[in-house]
PDB file of all heavy atoms in Angstrom:
ATOM      1  N   ALA E   5       4.512 -20.359  13.233  1.00 91.00           N
ATOM      2  CA  ALA E   5       3.222 -20.570  13.897  1.00 91.00           C
ATOM      3  C   ALA E   5       2.303 -19.363  13.750  1.00 91.00           C
ATOM      4  O   ALA E   5       1.074 -19.508  13.711  1.00 91.00           O
ATOM      5  CB  ALA E   5       3.458 -20.882  15.380  1.00 91.00           C
ATOM      6  N   SER E   6       2.883 -18.174  13.634  1.00 93.00           N
ATOM      7  CA  SER E   6       2.060 -16.963  13.524  1.00 93.00           C
ATOM      8  C   SER E   6       1.240 -16.933  12.245  1.00 93.00           C
ATOM      9  O   SER E   6       0.230 -16.230  12.163  1.00 93.00           O
ATOM     10  CB  SER E   6       2.944 -15.715  13.601  1.00 93.00           C
ATOM     11  OG  SER E   6       3.909 -15.716  12.553  1.00 93.00           O
ATOM     12  N   THR E   7       1.656 -17.703  11.232  1.00 96.00           N
ATOM     13  CA  THR E   7       0.906 -17.742   9.978  1.00 96.00           C
ATOM     14  C   THR E   7      -0.486 -18.325  10.204  1.00 96.00           C
ATOM     15  O   THR E   7      -1.474 -17.851   9.629  1.00 96.00           O
ATOM     16  CB  THR E   7       1.669 -18.568   8.926  1.00 96.00           C
ATOM     17  OG1 THR E   7       2.905 -17.919   8.635  1.00 96.00           O
ATOM     18  CG2 THR E   7       0.868 -18.687   7.638  1.00 96.00           C
ATOM     19  N   ALA E   8      -0.579 -19.332  11.043  1.00 97.00           N
ATOM     20  CA  ALA E   8      -1.891 -19.908  11.350  1.00 97.00           C
ATOM     21  C   ALA E   8      -2.775 -18.879  12.049  1.00 97.00           C
ATOM     22  O   ALA E   8      -3.989 -18.818  11.795  1.00 97.00           O
ATOM     23  CB  ALA E   8      -1.725 -21.148  12.221  1.00 97.00           C
ATOM     24  N   ARG E   9      -2.189 -18.038  12.899  1.00 97.00           N
ATOM     25  CA  ARG E   9      -2.969 -17.009  13.581  1.00 97.00           C
ATOM     26  C   ARG E   9      -3.447 -15.947  12.601  1.00 97.00           C
ATOM     27  O   ARG E   9      -4.555 -15.429  12.728  1.00 97.00           O
ATOM     28  CB  ARG E   9      -2.134 -16.372  14.701  1.00 97.00           C
ATOM     29  CG  ARG E   9      -1.693 -17.357  15.772  1.00 97.00           C
ATOM     30  CD  ARG E   9      -1.365 -16.657  17.081  1.00 97.00           C
ATOM     31  NE  ARG E   9      -0.359 -15.626  16.936  1.00 97.00           N
ATOM     32  CZ  ARG E   9       0.952 -15.840  17.014  1.00 97.00           C
ATOM     33  NH1 ARG E   9       1.404 -17.078  17.227  1.00 97.00           N
ATOM     34  NH2 ARG E   9       1.812 -14.851  16.884  1.00 97.00           N
ATOM     35  N   LEU E  10      -2.618 -15.636  11.609  1.00 98.00           N
ATOM     36  CA  LEU E  10      -3.014 -14.676  10.582  1.00 98.00           C
ATOM     37  C   LEU E  10      -4.182 -15.225   9.770  1.00 98.00           C
ATOM     38  O   LEU E  10      -5.170 -14.522   9.513  1.00 98.00           O
ATOM     39  CB  LEU E  10      -1.838 -14.369   9.660  1.00 98.00           C
ATOM     40  CG  LEU E  10      -2.133 -13.484   8.447  1.00 98.00           C
ATOM     41  CD1 LEU E  10      -2.509 -12.070   8.886  1.00 98.00           C
ATOM     42  CD2 LEU E  10      -0.943 -13.451   7.490  1.00 98.00           C
ATOM     43  N   ARG E  11      -4.080 -16.480   9.381  1.00 97.00           N
ATOM     44  CA  ARG E  11      -5.160 -17.099   8.608  1.00 97.00           C
ATOM     45  C   ARG E  11      -6.467 -17.088   9.388  1.00 97.00           C
ATOM     46  O   ARG E  11      -7.541 -16.810   8.841  1.00 97.00           O
ATOM     47  CB  ARG E  11      -4.772 -18.534   8.243  1.00 97.00           C
ATOM     48  CG  ARG E  11      -3.681 -18.634   7.174  1.00 97.00           C
ATOM     49  CD  ARG E  11      -3.242 -20.062   6.978  1.00 97.00           C
ATOM     50  NE  ARG E  11      -2.372 -20.205   5.816  1.00 97.00           N
ATOM     51  CZ  ARG E  11      -1.344 -21.053   5.765  1.00 97.00           C
ATOM     52  NH1 ARG E  11      -1.060 -21.813   6.805  1.00 97.00           N
ATOM     53  NH2 ARG E  11      -0.608 -21.125   4.676  1.00 97.00           N
ATOM     54  N   GLU E  12      -6.376 -17.381  10.673  1.00 97.00           N
ATOM     55  CA  GLU E  12      -7.578 -17.400  11.500  1.00 97.00           C
ATOM     56  C   GLU E  12      -8.142 -15.999  11.684  1.00 97.00           C
ATOM     57  O   GLU E  12      -9.366 -15.796  11.626  1.00 97.00           O
ATOM     58  CB  GLU E  12      -7.257 -18.017  12.862  1.00 97.00           C
ATOM     59  CG  GLU E  12      -8.456 -18.134  13.782  1.00 97.00           C
ATOM     60  CD  GLU E  12      -8.122 -18.770  15.112  1.00 97.00           C
ATOM     61  OE1 GLU E  12      -6.945 -19.142  15.308  1.00 97.00           O
ATOM     62  OE2 GLU E  12      -9.024 -18.887  15.958  1.00 97.00           O
ATOM     63  N   ALA E  13      -7.277 -15.024  11.899  1.00 97.00           N
ATOM     64  CA  ALA E  13      -7.733 -13.655  12.152  1.00 97.00           C
ATOM     65  C   ALA E  13      -8.479 -13.075  10.964  1.00 97.00           C
ATOM     66  O   ALA E  13      -9.437 -12.300  11.127  1.00 97.00           O
ATOM     67  CB  ALA E  13      -6.547 -12.765  12.518  1.00 97.00           C
ATOM     68  N   LEU E  14      -8.053 -13.436   9.746  1.00 98.00           N
ATOM     69  CA  LEU E  14      -8.632 -12.839   8.550  1.00 98.00           C
ATOM     70  C   LEU E  14      -9.451 -13.812   7.709  1.00 98.00           C
ATOM     71  O   LEU E  14     -10.019 -13.413   6.690  1.00 98.00           O
ATOM     72  CB  LEU E  14      -7.515 -12.232   7.690  1.00 98.00           C
ATOM     73  CG  LEU E  14      -6.698 -11.114   8.356  1.00 98.00           C
ATOM     74  CD1 LEU E  14      -5.618 -10.610   7.402  1.00 98.00           C
ATOM     75  CD2 LEU E  14      -7.592  -9.966   8.799  1.00 98.00           C
ATOM     76  N   GLY E  15      -9.489 -15.067   8.095  1.00 97.00           N
ATOM     77  CA  GLY E  15     -10.271 -16.042   7.347  1.00 97.00           C
ATOM     78  C   GLY E  15      -9.717 -16.301   5.964  1.00 97.00           C
ATOM     79  O   GLY E  15     -10.468 -16.357   4.979  1.00 97.00           O
ATOM     80  N   ILE E  16      -8.399 -16.489   5.875  1.00 98.00           N
ATOM     81  CA  ILE E  16      -7.745 -16.677   4.581  1.00 98.00           C
ATOM     82  C   ILE E  16      -6.963 -17.983   4.572  1.00 98.00           C
ATOM     83  O   ILE E  16      -6.671 -18.556   5.617  1.00 98.00           O
ATOM     84  CB  ILE E  16      -6.797 -15.502   4.238  1.00 98.00           C
ATOM     85  CG1 ILE E  16      -5.735 -15.318   5.334  1.00 98.00           C
ATOM     86  CG2 ILE E  16      -7.603 -14.224   4.057  1.00 98.00           C
ATOM     87  CD1 ILE E  16      -4.735 -14.205   5.043  1.00 98.00           C
ATOM     88  N   GLU E  17      -6.621 -18.434   3.361  1.00 96.00           N
ATOM     89  CA  GLU E  17      -5.813 -19.637   3.199  1.00 96.00           C
ATOM     90  C   GLU E  17      -4.353 -19.287   2.974  1.00 96.00           C
ATOM     91  O   GLU E  17      -3.463 -19.932   3.539  1.00 96.00           O
ATOM     92  CB  GLU E  17      -6.335 -20.459   2.022  1.00 96.00           C
ATOM     93  CG  GLU E  17      -7.772 -20.946   2.183  1.00 96.00           C
ATOM     94  CD  GLU E  17      -8.290 -21.606   0.935  1.00 96.00           C
ATOM     95  OE1 GLU E  17      -7.486 -21.886   0.022  1.00 96.00           O
ATOM     96  OE2 GLU E  17      -9.512 -21.838   0.845  1.00 96.00           O
ATOM     97  N   MET E  18      -4.098 -18.293   2.150  1.00 96.00           N
ATOM     98  CA  MET E  18      -2.723 -17.891   1.849  1.00 96.00           C
ATOM     99  C   MET E  18      -2.350 -16.666   2.673  1.00 96.00           C
ATOM    100  O   MET E  18      -3.127 -15.703   2.734  1.00 96.00           O
ATOM    101  CB  MET E  18      -2.570 -17.585   0.363  1.00 96.00           C
ATOM    102  CG  MET E  18      -2.717 -18.794  -0.527  1.00 96.00           C
ATOM    103  SD  MET E  18      -2.247 -18.413  -2.224  1.00 96.00           S
ATOM    104  CE  MET E  18      -2.652 -19.959  -3.030  1.00 96.00           C
ATOM    105  N   PRO E  19      -1.179 -16.647   3.264  1.00 98.00           N
ATOM    106  CA  PRO E  19      -0.777 -15.533   4.136  1.00 98.00           C
ATOM    107  C   PRO E  19      -0.253 -14.334   3.353  1.00 98.00           C
ATOM    108  O   PRO E  19       0.872 -13.875   3.552  1.00 98.00           O
ATOM    109  CB  PRO E  19       0.314 -16.165   5.004  1.00 98.00           C
ATOM    110  CG  PRO E  19       0.961 -17.163   4.097  1.00 98.00           C
ATOM    111  CD  PRO E  19      -0.160 -17.726   3.251  1.00 98.00           C
ATOM    112  N   ILE E  20      -1.102 -13.838   2.466  1.00 98.00           N
ATOM    113  CA  ILE E  20      -0.733 -12.717   1.594  1.00 98.00           C
ATOM    114  C   ILE E  20      -1.874 -11.709   1.594  1.00 98.00           C
ATOM    115  O   ILE E  20      -3.040 -12.081   1.472  1.00 98.00           O
ATOM    116  CB  ILE E  20      -0.448 -13.204   0.157  1.00 98.00           C
ATOM    117  CG1 ILE E  20       0.756 -14.169   0.143  1.00 98.00           C
ATOM    118  CG2 ILE E  20      -0.200 -12.025  -0.777  1.00 98.00           C
ATOM    119  CD1 ILE E  20       0.989 -14.832  -1.208  1.00 98.00           C
ATOM    120  N   LEU E  21      -1.533 -10.435   1.728  1.00 98.00           N
ATOM    121  CA  LEU E  21      -2.521  -9.366   1.662  1.00 98.00           C
ATOM    122  C   LEU E  21      -2.229  -8.494   0.448  1.00 98.00           C
ATOM    123  O   LEU E  21      -1.064  -8.222   0.126  1.00 98.00           O
ATOM    124  CB  LEU E  21      -2.470  -8.503   2.926  1.00 98.00           C
ATOM    125  CG  LEU E  21      -2.562  -9.216   4.278  1.00 98.00           C
ATOM    126  CD1 LEU E  21      -2.594  -8.197   5.411  1.00 98.00           C
ATOM    127  CD2 LEU E  21      -3.759 -10.143   4.327  1.00 98.00           C
ATOM    128  N   VAL E 117      -6.802  -4.116  10.672  1.00 98.00           N
ATOM    129  CA  VAL E 117      -5.425  -4.275  10.208  1.00 98.00           C
ATOM    130  C   VAL E 117      -4.759  -2.907  10.292  1.00 98.00           C
ATOM    131  O   VAL E 117      -5.256  -1.943   9.697  1.00 98.00           O
ATOM    132  CB  VAL E 117      -5.381  -4.815   8.766  1.00 98.00           C
ATOM    133  CG1 VAL E 117      -3.948  -4.908   8.266  1.00 98.00           C
ATOM    134  CG2 VAL E 117      -6.073  -6.167   8.681  1.00 98.00           C
ATOM    135  N   ASP E 135      -5.929  -6.506  15.166  1.00 98.00           N
ATOM    136  CA  ASP E 135      -5.915  -7.944  14.914  1.00 98.00           C
ATOM    137  C   ASP E 135      -4.681  -8.376  14.144  1.00 98.00           C
ATOM    138  O   ASP E 135      -4.191  -9.496  14.309  1.00 98.00           O
ATOM    139  CB  ASP E 135      -7.164  -8.346  14.121  1.00 98.00           C
ATOM    140  CG  ASP E 135      -8.442  -8.051  14.888  1.00 98.00           C
ATOM    141  OD1 ASP E 135      -8.686  -8.706  15.914  1.00 98.00           O
ATOM    142  OD2 ASP E 135      -9.173  -7.129  14.472  1.00 98.00           O
ATOM    143  N   VAL E 136      -4.192  -7.490  13.287  1.00 98.00           N
ATOM    144  CA  VAL E 136      -3.009  -7.747  12.461  1.00 98.00           C
ATOM    145  C   VAL E 136      -2.233  -6.444  12.356  1.00 98.00           C
ATOM    146  O   VAL E 136      -2.825  -5.368  12.218  1.00 98.00           O
ATOM    147  CB  VAL E 136      -3.398  -8.233  11.043  1.00 98.00           C
ATOM    148  CG1 VAL E 136      -2.167  -8.388  10.159  1.00 98.00           C
ATOM    149  CG2 VAL E 136      -4.181  -9.543  11.112  1.00 98.00           C
ATOM    150  N   VAL E 137      -0.905  -6.537  12.414  1.00 98.00           N
ATOM    151  CA  VAL E 137      -0.046  -5.376  12.216  1.00 98.00           C
ATOM    152  C   VAL E 137       0.749  -5.574  10.931  1.00 98.00           C
ATOM    153  O   VAL E 137       1.345  -6.638  10.723  1.00 98.00           O
ATOM    154  CB  VAL E 137       0.915  -5.180  13.403  1.00 98.00           C
ATOM    155  CG1 VAL E 137       1.992  -4.155  13.074  1.00 98.00           C
ATOM    156  CG2 VAL E 137       0.151  -4.738  14.643  1.00 98.00           C
ATOM    157  N   VAL E 138       0.738  -4.577  10.066  1.00 98.00           N
ATOM    158  CA  VAL E 138       1.537  -4.590   8.844  1.00 98.00           C
ATOM    159  C   VAL E 138       2.727  -3.654   9.054  1.00 98.00           C
ATOM    160  O   VAL E 138       2.547  -2.461   9.302  1.00 98.00           O
ATOM    161  CB  VAL E 138       0.723  -4.129   7.620  1.00 98.00           C
ATOM    162  CG1 VAL E 138       1.613  -4.092   6.372  1.00 98.00           C
ATOM    163  CG2 VAL E 138      -0.467  -5.047   7.395  1.00 98.00           C
ATOM    164  N   VAL E 168       0.582 -10.797  18.345  1.00 97.00           N
ATOM    165  CA  VAL E 168      -0.277 -10.384  17.232  1.00 97.00           C
ATOM    166  C   VAL E 168       0.422 -10.758  15.924  1.00 97.00           C
ATOM    167  O   VAL E 168       1.632 -10.554  15.794  1.00 97.00           O
ATOM    168  CB  VAL E 168      -0.548  -8.867  17.282  1.00 97.00           C
ATOM    169  CG1 VAL E 168      -1.300  -8.401  16.031  1.00 97.00           C
ATOM    170  CG2 VAL E 168      -1.340  -8.524  18.534  1.00 97.00           C
ATOM    171  N   PRO E 169      -0.308 -11.307  14.933  1.00 98.00           N
ATOM    172  CA  PRO E 169       0.335 -11.622  13.649  1.00 98.00           C
ATOM    173  C   PRO E 169       0.911 -10.360  13.000  1.00 98.00           C
ATOM    174  O   PRO E 169       0.226  -9.343  12.892  1.00 98.00           O
ATOM    175  CB  PRO E 169      -0.813 -12.199  12.816  1.00 98.00           C
ATOM    176  CG  PRO E 169      -1.838 -12.637  13.794  1.00 98.00           C
ATOM    177  CD  PRO E 169      -1.729 -11.693  14.952  1.00 98.00           C
ATOM    178  N   VAL E 170       2.162 -10.463  12.569  1.00 98.00           N
ATOM    179  CA  VAL E 170       2.853  -9.345  11.932  1.00 98.00           C
ATOM    180  C   VAL E 170       3.086  -9.678  10.465  1.00 98.00           C
ATOM    181  O   VAL E 170       3.637 -10.733  10.134  1.00 98.00           O
ATOM    182  CB  VAL E 170       4.194  -9.051  12.630  1.00 98.00           C
ATOM    183  CG1 VAL E 170       4.968  -7.959  11.888  1.00 98.00           C
ATOM    184  CG2 VAL E 170       3.957  -8.637  14.079  1.00 98.00           C
ATOM    185  N   VAL E 171       2.656  -8.778   9.598  1.00 98.00           N
ATOM    186  CA  VAL E 171       2.786  -8.937   8.151  1.00 98.00           C
ATOM    187  C   VAL E 171       3.848  -7.955   7.650  1.00 98.00           C
ATOM    188  O   VAL E 171       3.885  -6.795   8.068  1.00 98.00           O
ATOM    189  CB  VAL E 171       1.441  -8.671   7.454  1.00 98.00           C
ATOM    190  CG1 VAL E 171       1.598  -8.602   5.939  1.00 98.00           C
ATOM    191  CG2 VAL E 171       0.435  -9.755   7.835  1.00 98.00           C
ATOM    192  N   ALA E 172       4.710  -8.420   6.764  1.00 98.00           N
ATOM    193  CA  ALA E 172       5.806  -7.610   6.238  1.00 98.00           C
ATOM    194  C   ALA E 172       5.405  -6.938   4.933  1.00 98.00           C
ATOM    195  O   ALA E 172       4.761  -7.546   4.079  1.00 98.00           O
ATOM    196  CB  ALA E 172       7.032  -8.485   6.004  1.00 98.00           C
ATOM    197  N   TRP E 186       9.163 -15.123   6.400  1.00 97.00           N
ATOM    198  CA  TRP E 186       8.817 -16.198   7.334  1.00 97.00           C
ATOM    199  C   TRP E 186      10.003 -16.493   8.244  1.00 97.00           C
ATOM    200  O   TRP E 186       9.855 -16.687   9.440  1.00 97.00           O
ATOM    201  CB  TRP E 186       8.434 -17.463   6.566  1.00 97.00           C
ATOM    202  CG  TRP E 186       7.022 -17.490   6.078  1.00 97.00           C
ATOM    203  CD1 TRP E 186       5.967 -16.750   6.530  1.00 97.00           C
ATOM    204  CD2 TRP E 186       6.498 -18.347   5.047  1.00 97.00           C
ATOM    205  NE1 TRP E 186       4.819 -17.077   5.836  1.00 97.00           N
ATOM    206  CE2 TRP E 186       5.117 -18.054   4.930  1.00 97.00           C
ATOM    207  CE3 TRP E 186       7.060 -19.320   4.217  1.00 97.00           C
ATOM    208  CZ2 TRP E 186       4.291 -18.701   4.015  1.00 97.00           C
ATOM    209  CZ3 TRP E 186       6.251 -19.968   3.309  1.00 97.00           C
ATOM    210  CH2 TRP E 186       4.874 -19.669   3.204  1.00 97.00           C
ATOM    211  N   ALA E 190       7.802 -13.255  10.383  1.00 98.00           N
ATOM    212  CA  ALA E 190       6.554 -12.655   9.903  1.00 98.00           C
ATOM    213  C   ALA E 190       5.519 -13.730   9.613  1.00 98.00           C
ATOM    214  O   ALA E 190       5.847 -14.828   9.159  1.00 98.00           O
ATOM    215  CB  ALA E 190       6.809 -11.833   8.648  1.00 98.00           C
ATOM    216  N   ALA E 191       4.254 -13.393   9.848  1.00 98.00           N
ATOM    217  CA  ALA E 191       3.159 -14.322   9.560  1.00 98.00           C
ATOM    218  C   ALA E 191       2.863 -14.393   8.074  1.00 98.00           C
ATOM    219  O   ALA E 191       2.345 -15.398   7.580  1.00 98.00           O
ATOM    220  CB  ALA E 191       1.906 -13.895  10.314  1.00 98.00           C
ATOM    221  N   GLY E 192       3.166 -13.328   7.350  1.00 98.00           N
ATOM    222  CA  GLY E 192       2.891 -13.261   5.922  1.00 98.00           C
ATOM    223  C   GLY E 192       3.411 -11.965   5.360  1.00 98.00           C
ATOM    224  O   GLY E 192       4.185 -11.247   6.011  1.00 98.00           O
ATOM    225  N   VAL E 193       2.980 -11.634   4.147  1.00 98.00           N
ATOM    226  CA  VAL E 193       3.450 -10.427   3.482  1.00 98.00           C
ATOM    227  C   VAL E 193       2.279  -9.669   2.861  1.00 98.00           C
ATOM    228  O   VAL E 193       1.217 -10.248   2.603  1.00 98.00           O
ATOM    229  CB  VAL E 193       4.494 -10.731   2.384  1.00 98.00           C
ATOM    230  CG1 VAL E 193       5.736 -11.366   2.980  1.00 98.00           C
ATOM    231  CG2 VAL E 193       3.894 -11.622   1.289  1.00 98.00           C
TER     232      VAL E 193
END
Side-chain angles (χ1 to χ4, degrees):
S6 59
T7 296
R9 299 202 304 272
L10 174 66
R11 288 174 170 144
E12 182 179 359
L14 299 180
I16 57 178
E17 299 173 11
M18 293 190 184
I20 297 173
L21 308 184
V117 177
D135 298 292
V136 175
V137 168
V138 177
V168 173
V170 175
V171 171
W186 278 340
V193 297

